[in-house]
Amino acid sequence: MEPVKTNLLDRKGFKVLFDLHTQSVRSSVIELFEDIHKQRKRLGFELDRDLLAKEVKEVIYASRDRLDIFRVEGIPDIKQFLESNLSSETLDRLIREAIDIVLSSGETGEQSKRAIEYIKRTQIGLLKEINTKIIDKI
């Protein structure tokens, strides 16, 4: 009897996994923005946008690292697949756009709302692009 392959996903399973990944990233990034805003307000320091962009990227890459245990039919390496569809340069540009949009408002509630909307729009576009590529691969 052949052993059962665990964590092997088909196209539908990968879409669910990717959706969970993006939801996790969205929540973590919003939490990061809120924490930094609270610290900035409490301590009165000027925000280092480069440092914030680096921290957001770390959240995203940490989430991608957790995808290593999964295998997808037709996609040999999920992290490499995501990198090829959302390169570090593109990711950096999107993160900096999000930072500019979010920080254009001084109110925490408004920042959260702006962050959620921007990240949702970005992720919807990314999902459409990746779904098209999944169809080609699987």
Side-chain angles (χ1 to χ4, degrees):
M1 180 177 233
E2 189 174 317
V4 177
K5 293 182 180 179
T6 57
N7 302 327
L8 179 62
L9 304 173
D10 60 5
R11 181 175 178 263
K12 185 176 180 180
F14 179 68
K15 288 171 75 174
V16 170
L17 175 67
F18 188 72
D19 186 46
L20 293 171
H21 163 70
T22 56
Q23 288 177 31
S24 170
V25 167
R26 178 173 46 232
S27 296
S28 297
V29 168
I30 290 167
E31 185 177 310
L32 177 65
F33 278 129
E34 288 174 345
D35 289 347
I36 286 176
H37 179 73
K38 286 176 191 172
Q39 289 176 7
R40 191 174 118 200
K41 196 173 185 179
R42 186 170 46 92
L43 301 174
F45 66 87
E46 188 59 33
L47 183 66
D48 182 344
R49 290 174 187 240
D50 290 333
L51 179 62
L52 181 54
K54 182 181 176 201
E55 288 186 35
V56 171
K57 264 187 161 178
E58 286 175 10
V59 165
I60 293 167
Y61 284 117
S63 183
R64 284 183 181 182
D65 286 343
R66 290 191 298 270
L67 300 176
D68 267 350
I69 63 169
F70 297 97
R71 301 291 170 254
V72 179
E73 295 173 5
I75 301 174
D77 183 326
I78 294 175
K79 286 189 340 183
Q80 184 179 31
F81 177 76
L82 293 175
E83 177 66 24
S84 68
N85 289 286
L86 183 60
S87 69
S88 184
E89 295 79 24
T90 303
L91 186 59
D92 190 63
R93 180 182 53 77
L94 293 171
I95 289 169
R96 290 177 187 282
E97 284 176 11
I99 290 169
D100 290 343
I101 290 168
V102 170
L103 297 181
S104 66
S105 171
E107 183 187 326
T108 304
E110 184 63 25
Q111 285 183 352
S112 296
K113 189 166 42 172
R114 285 177 183 232
I116 291 167
E117 286 308 309
Y118 179 80
I119 293 166
K120 278 183 184 176
R121 283 195 316 270
T122 302
Q123 288 176 340
I124 287 169
L126 179 60
L127 282 170
K128 285 179 186 175
E129 189 175 319
I130 286 184
N131 282 337
T132 302
K133 292 183 180 178
I134 292 169
I135 291 169
D136 295 340
K137 295 269 186 189
I138 299 177

Short mmCIF file of all heavy atoms in Angstrom, two decimals, residues 77-120:
data_model
loop_
_atom_site.label_atom_id
_atom_site.label_comp_id
_atom_site.label_asym_id
_atom_site.label_seq_id
_atom_site.Cartn_x
_atom_site.Cartn_y
_atom_site.Cartn_z
N ASP A 77 7.22 24.57 -6.06
CA ASP A 77 7.62 25.32 -4.86
C ASP A 77 6.68 26.52 -4.72
O ASP A 77 6.73 27.45 -5.52
CB ASP A 77 9.07 25.77 -5.01
CG ASP A 77 9.60 26.49 -3.79
OD1 ASP A 77 8.83 27.19 -3.10
OD2 ASP A 77 10.81 26.36 -3.52
N ILE A 78 5.84 26.51 -3.69
CA ILE A 78 4.84 27.56 -3.51
C ILE A 78 5.51 28.93 -3.29
O ILE A 78 5.10 29.92 -3.89
CB ILE A 78 3.90 27.25 -2.32
CG1 ILE A 78 3.05 26.02 -2.64
CG2 ILE A 78 3.00 28.43 -2.02
CD1 ILE A 78 2.17 25.56 -1.49
N LYS A 79 6.54 28.97 -2.45
CA LYS A 79 7.19 30.27 -2.19
C LYS A 79 7.80 30.83 -3.46
O LYS A 79 7.68 32.02 -3.74
CB LYS A 79 8.26 30.11 -1.11
CG LYS A 79 7.68 29.97 0.26
CD LYS A 79 8.65 30.01 1.41
CE LYS A 79 10.07 29.75 1.15
NZ LYS A 79 10.93 29.75 2.33
N GLN A 80 8.42 29.99 -4.24
CA GLN A 80 9.02 30.45 -5.50
C GLN A 80 7.92 30.91 -6.47
O GLN A 80 8.07 31.91 -7.17
CB GLN A 80 9.85 29.33 -6.13
CG GLN A 80 10.57 29.74 -7.38
CD GLN A 80 11.39 28.59 -7.95
OE1 GLN A 80 11.02 27.43 -7.81
NE2 GLN A 80 12.50 28.92 -8.58
N PHE A 81 6.81 30.19 -6.50
CA PHE A 81 5.67 30.56 -7.34
C PHE A 81 5.15 31.94 -6.94
O PHE A 81 4.91 32.80 -7.80
CB PHE A 81 4.56 29.51 -7.21
CG PHE A 81 3.32 29.83 -7.99
CD1 PHE A 81 3.28 29.67 -9.37
CD2 PHE A 81 2.18 30.27 -7.34
CE1 PHE A 81 2.13 29.96 -10.09
CE2 PHE A 81 1.02 30.55 -8.05
CZ PHE A 81 1.00 30.40 -9.43
N LEU A 82 4.99 32.18 -5.64
CA LEU A 82 4.52 33.48 -5.18
C LEU A 82 5.53 34.58 -5.48
O LEU A 82 5.15 35.68 -5.89
CB LEU A 82 4.20 33.44 -3.68
CG LEU A 82 3.02 32.56 -3.28
CD1 LEU A 82 2.88 32.50 -1.77
CD2 LEU A 82 1.73 33.05 -3.92
N GLU A 83 6.81 34.29 -5.30
CA GLU A 83 7.85 35.28 -5.60
C GLU A 83 7.85 35.63 -7.09
O GLU A 83 8.00 36.79 -7.45
CB GLU A 83 9.23 34.76 -5.18
CG GLU A 83 10.38 35.67 -5.52
CD GLU A 83 10.40 37.01 -4.78
OE1 GLU A 83 9.82 37.10 -3.67
OE2 GLU A 83 10.97 37.97 -5.32
N SER A 84 7.64 34.63 -7.94
CA SER A 84 7.65 34.90 -9.37
C SER A 84 6.41 35.70 -9.81
O SER A 84 6.43 36.36 -10.85
CB SER A 84 7.76 33.61 -10.18
OG SER A 84 6.58 32.84 -10.05
N ASN A 85 5.35 35.64 -9.01
CA ASN A 85 4.13 36.37 -9.34
C ASN A 85 3.97 37.66 -8.55
O ASN A 85 3.11 38.47 -8.87
CB ASN A 85 2.91 35.47 -9.12
CG ASN A 85 2.83 34.40 -10.17
OD1 ASN A 85 2.49 34.67 -11.31
ND2 ASN A 85 3.21 33.19 -9.82
N LEU A 86 4.77 37.81 -7.53
CA LEU A 86 4.79 39.05 -6.75
C LEU A 86 6.22 39.23 -6.25
O LEU A 86 6.57 38.86 -5.15
CB LEU A 86 3.81 39.00 -5.58
CG LEU A 86 3.69 40.27 -4.75
CD1 LEU A 86 3.21 41.44 -5.61
CD2 LEU A 86 2.76 40.08 -3.58
N SER A 87 7.04 39.78 -7.13
CA SER A 87 8.46 39.91 -6.83
C SER A 87 8.71 40.85 -5.66
O SER A 87 7.84 41.65 -5.28
CB SER A 87 9.20 40.43 -8.07
OG SER A 87 8.82 41.77 -8.31
N SER A 88 9.89 40.77 -5.14
CA SER A 88 10.29 41.61 -4.01
C SER A 88 10.16 43.10 -4.37
O SER A 88 9.71 43.91 -3.55
CB SER A 88 11.72 41.28 -3.61
OG SER A 88 12.09 42.01 -2.49
N GLU A 89 10.50 43.45 -5.60
CA GLU A 89 10.41 44.85 -6.03
C GLU A 89 8.96 45.32 -6.09
O GLU A 89 8.62 46.41 -5.63
CB GLU A 89 11.06 45.04 -7.41
CG GLU A 89 12.55 44.77 -7.44
CD GLU A 89 12.91 43.28 -7.49
OE1 GLU A 89 12.08 42.45 -7.94
OE2 GLU A 89 14.00 42.94 -7.04
N THR A 90 8.09 44.48 -6.67
CA THR A 90 6.67 44.84 -6.74
C THR A 90 6.07 44.91 -5.35
O THR A 90 5.31 45.83 -5.03
CB THR A 90 5.90 43.80 -7.60
OG1 THR A 90 6.50 43.75 -8.89
CG2 THR A 90 4.44 44.16 -7.72
N LEU A 91 6.43 43.93 -4.52
CA LEU A 91 5.95 43.90 -3.15
C LEU A 91 6.36 45.17 -2.41
O LEU A 91 5.55 45.79 -1.72
CB LEU A 91 6.49 42.65 -2.44
CG LEU A 91 5.98 42.37 -1.05
CD1 LEU A 91 4.47 42.20 -1.05
CD2 LEU A 91 6.66 41.12 -0.51
N ASP A 92 7.60 45.58 -2.57
CA ASP A 92 8.10 46.79 -1.92
C ASP A 92 7.30 48.01 -2.37
O ASP A 92 6.91 48.84 -1.55
CB ASP A 92 9.59 46.98 -2.23
CG ASP A 92 10.20 48.07 -1.39
OD1 ASP A 92 10.23 47.92 -0.15
OD2 ASP A 92 10.65 49.08 -1.97
N ARG A 93 7.02 48.11 -3.67
CA ARG A 93 6.23 49.24 -4.18
C ARG A 93 4.83 49.24 -3.58
O ARG A 93 4.34 50.28 -3.12
CB ARG A 93 6.14 49.16 -5.71
CG ARG A 93 5.34 50.31 -6.33
CD ARG A 93 5.23 50.20 -7.84
NE ARG A 93 4.72 48.93 -8.33
CZ ARG A 93 3.44 48.56 -8.31
NH1 ARG A 93 2.53 49.36 -7.81
NH2 ARG A 93 3.06 47.39 -8.80
N LEU A 94 4.18 48.07 -3.53
CA LEU A 94 2.83 47.99 -2.97
C LEU A 94 2.82 48.33 -1.48
O LEU A 94 1.91 49.01 -1.00
CB LEU A 94 2.25 46.59 -3.20
CG LEU A 94 1.97 46.21 -4.65
CD1 LEU A 94 1.60 44.74 -4.75
CD2 LEU A 94 0.86 47.09 -5.23
N ILE A 95 3.83 47.87 -0.77
CA ILE A 95 3.92 48.16 0.66
C ILE A 95 4.08 49.66 0.89
O ILE A 95 3.41 50.25 1.74
CB ILE A 95 5.10 47.39 1.30
CG1 ILE A 95 4.76 45.90 1.37
CG2 ILE A 95 5.43 47.94 2.69
CD1 ILE A 95 5.94 45.01 1.72
N ARG A 96 4.95 50.29 0.11
CA ARG A 96 5.17 51.73 0.28
C ARG A 96 3.92 52.53 -0.09
O ARG A 96 3.61 53.55 0.56
CB ARG A 96 6.39 52.18 -0.51
CG ARG A 96 7.67 51.64 0.12
CD ARG A 96 8.92 51.98 -0.63
NE ARG A 96 10.06 51.29 -0.07
CZ ARG A 96 10.70 51.65 1.04
NH1 ARG A 96 10.30 52.71 1.71
NH2 ARG A 96 11.72 50.96 1.48
N GLU A 97 3.18 52.07 -1.09
CA GLU A 97 1.90 52.71 -1.42
C GLU A 97 0.94 52.59 -0.24
O GLU A 97 0.26 53.56 0.11
CB GLU A 97 1.28 52.07 -2.66
CG GLU A 97 1.92 52.47 -3.96
CD GLU A 97 1.34 51.74 -5.16
OE1 GLU A 97 0.28 51.06 -5.02
OE2 GLU A 97 1.94 51.81 -6.24
N ALA A 98 0.88 51.41 0.36
CA ALA A 98 -0.01 51.19 1.51
C ALA A 98 0.39 52.09 2.67
O ALA A 98 -0.47 52.70 3.31
CB ALA A 98 0.04 49.72 1.94
N ILE A 99 1.68 52.20 2.93
CA ILE A 99 2.16 53.05 4.02
C ILE A 99 1.75 54.49 3.77
O ILE A 99 1.24 55.17 4.67
CB ILE A 99 3.69 52.91 4.18
CG1 ILE A 99 4.03 51.53 4.75
CG2 ILE A 99 4.25 54.02 5.07
CD1 ILE A 99 5.50 51.18 4.72
N ASP A 100 1.94 54.99 2.56
CA ASP A 100 1.57 56.36 2.24
C ASP A 100 0.07 56.59 2.41
O ASP A 100 -0.35 57.61 2.96
CB ASP A 100 1.98 56.72 0.81
CG ASP A 100 3.49 56.82 0.65
OD1 ASP A 100 4.20 56.95 1.69
OD2 ASP A 100 3.97 56.76 -0.49
N ILE A 101 -0.74 55.63 1.94
CA ILE A 101 -2.19 55.77 2.05
C ILE A 101 -2.63 55.74 3.51
O ILE A 101 -3.40 56.58 3.96
CB ILE A 101 -2.90 54.66 1.25
CG1 ILE A 101 -2.72 54.91 -0.25
CG2 ILE A 101 -4.38 54.57 1.61
CD1 ILE A 101 -3.12 53.75 -1.13
N VAL A 102 -2.12 54.78 4.24
CA VAL A 102 -2.53 54.61 5.63
C VAL A 102 -2.10 55.80 6.48
O VAL A 102 -2.86 56.31 7.28
CB VAL A 102 -1.95 53.30 6.21
CG1 VAL A 102 -2.15 53.23 7.71
CG2 VAL A 102 -2.60 52.11 5.54
N LEU A 103 -0.89 56.27 6.28
CA LEU A 103 -0.37 57.33 7.13
C LEU A 103 -0.85 58.72 6.72
O LEU A 103 -0.56 59.69 7.40
CB LEU A 103 1.15 57.28 7.16
CG LEU A 103 1.72 56.01 7.77
CD1 LEU A 103 3.24 56.06 7.79
CD2 LEU A 103 1.17 55.75 9.16
N SER A 104 -1.61 58.80 5.63
CA SER A 104 -2.14 60.11 5.23
C SER A 104 -3.27 60.56 6.15
O SER A 104 -3.71 61.70 6.07
CB SER A 104 -2.61 60.07 3.77
OG SER A 104 -3.70 59.22 3.63
N SER A 105 -3.71 59.66 7.02
CA SER A 105 -4.73 60.01 8.00
C SER A 105 -4.13 59.88 9.40
O SER A 105 -3.40 58.94 9.68
CB SER A 105 -5.93 59.07 7.87
OG SER A 105 -6.81 59.29 8.94
N GLY A 106 -4.43 60.82 10.27
CA GLY A 106 -3.87 60.78 11.61
C GLY A 106 -4.64 59.93 12.59
O GLY A 106 -4.15 59.60 13.65
N GLU A 107 -5.85 59.56 12.26
CA GLU A 107 -6.70 58.84 13.19
C GLU A 107 -6.52 57.33 13.04
O GLU A 107 -6.55 56.80 11.93
CB GLU A 107 -8.16 59.23 12.91
CG GLU A 107 -9.15 58.60 13.85
CD GLU A 107 -10.58 58.88 13.41
OE1 GLU A 107 -10.84 59.97 12.87
OE2 GLU A 107 -11.41 58.00 13.58
N THR A 108 -6.36 56.62 14.14
CA THR A 108 -6.12 55.18 14.11
C THR A 108 -7.24 54.42 13.40
O THR A 108 -6.99 53.57 12.57
CB THR A 108 -5.94 54.62 15.54
OG1 THR A 108 -4.91 55.33 16.18
CG2 THR A 108 -5.59 53.15 15.50
N GLY A 109 -8.49 54.74 13.72
CA GLY A 109 -9.62 54.05 13.10
C GLY A 109 -9.64 54.25 11.59
O GLY A 109 -9.88 53.33 10.82
N GLU A 110 -9.36 55.46 11.17
CA GLU A 110 -9.32 55.76 9.74
C GLU A 110 -8.15 55.07 9.07
O GLU A 110 -8.25 54.57 7.96
CB GLU A 110 -9.24 57.28 9.51
CG GLU A 110 -9.28 57.70 8.06
CD GLU A 110 -10.57 57.34 7.34
OE1 GLU A 110 -11.62 57.20 8.01
OE2 GLU A 110 -10.53 57.19 6.11
N GLN A 111 -7.01 55.01 9.76
CA GLN A 111 -5.85 54.30 9.22
C GLN A 111 -6.18 52.82 9.02
O GLN A 111 -5.85 52.24 7.99
CB GLN A 111 -4.65 54.43 10.16
CG GLN A 111 -4.01 55.79 10.10
CD GLN A 111 -2.77 55.86 10.99
OE1 GLN A 111 -2.48 54.94 11.74
NE2 GLN A 111 -2.05 56.95 10.89
N SER A 112 -6.83 52.23 10.00
CA SER A 112 -7.18 50.81 9.89
C SER A 112 -8.11 50.58 8.71
O SER A 112 -7.92 49.64 7.93
CB SER A 112 -7.88 50.33 11.17
OG SER A 112 -7.01 50.41 12.25
N LYS A 113 -9.10 51.46 8.57
CA LYS A 113 -10.05 51.32 7.47
C LYS A 113 -9.34 51.46 6.12
O LYS A 113 -9.56 50.68 5.21
CB LYS A 113 -11.17 52.37 7.61
CG LYS A 113 -12.31 52.16 6.65
CD LYS A 113 -13.56 52.96 6.97
CE LYS A 113 -13.32 54.37 7.38
NZ LYS A 113 -14.54 55.16 7.50
N ARG A 114 -8.47 52.45 6.02
CA ARG A 114 -7.71 52.65 4.78
C ARG A 114 -6.80 51.46 4.50
O ARG A 114 -6.67 51.01 3.37
CB ARG A 114 -6.88 53.92 4.85
CG ARG A 114 -7.68 55.18 4.71
CD ARG A 114 -6.78 56.38 4.88
NE ARG A 114 -7.55 57.60 4.82
CZ ARG A 114 -7.26 58.60 4.02
NH1 ARG A 114 -6.23 58.55 3.23
NH2 ARG A 114 -8.01 59.68 4.02
N ALA A 115 -6.15 50.95 5.53
CA ALA A 115 -5.26 49.80 5.36
C ALA A 115 -6.04 48.59 4.88
O ALA A 115 -5.63 47.91 3.93
CB ALA A 115 -4.55 49.48 6.68
N ILE A 116 -7.17 48.34 5.50
CA ILE A 116 -7.99 47.19 5.12
C ILE A 116 -8.42 47.31 3.67
O ILE A 116 -8.30 46.36 2.88
CB ILE A 116 -9.22 47.06 6.05
CG1 ILE A 116 -8.76 46.65 7.45
CG2 ILE A 116 -10.23 46.05 5.49
CD1 ILE A 116 -9.83 46.80 8.52
N GLU A 117 -8.94 48.46 3.28
CA GLU A 117 -9.42 48.64 1.90
C GLU A 117 -8.29 48.52 0.88
O GLU A 117 -8.44 47.88 -0.15
CB GLU A 117 -10.13 50.00 1.76
CG GLU A 117 -11.49 50.03 2.40
CD GLU A 117 -12.38 48.88 1.95
OE1 GLU A 117 -12.53 48.65 0.74
OE2 GLU A 117 -12.93 48.19 2.83
N TYR A 118 -7.16 49.15 1.16
CA TYR A 118 -6.04 49.07 0.22
C TYR A 118 -5.54 47.64 0.09
O TYR A 118 -5.32 47.15 -1.01
CB TYR A 118 -4.89 49.99 0.66
CG TYR A 118 -3.73 49.89 -0.29
CD1 TYR A 118 -3.75 50.59 -1.50
CD2 TYR A 118 -2.65 49.06 -0.04
CE1 TYR A 118 -2.71 50.47 -2.40
CE2 TYR A 118 -1.61 48.94 -0.94
CZ TYR A 118 -1.64 49.64 -2.12
OH TYR A 118 -0.63 49.52 -3.02
N ILE A 119 -5.36 46.97 1.21
CA ILE A 119 -4.84 45.60 1.19
C ILE A 119 -5.83 44.68 0.49
O ILE A 119 -5.43 43.82 -0.31
CB ILE A 119 -4.49 45.13 2.61
CG1 ILE A 119 -3.31 45.95 3.15
CG2 ILE A 119 -4.16 43.65 2.64
CD1 ILE A 119 -3.08 45.82 4.64
N LYS A 120 -7.12 44.85 0.74
CA LYS A 120 -8.13 44.03 0.05
C LYS A 120 -8.06 44.22 -1.46
O LYS A 120 -8.07 43.26 -2.21
CB LYS A 120 -9.54 44.39 0.54
CG LYS A 120 -9.96 43.74 1.82
CD LYS A 120 -11.39 44.13 2.13
CE LYS A 120 -11.84 43.58 3.44
NZ LYS A 120 -13.19 44.01 3.80
#
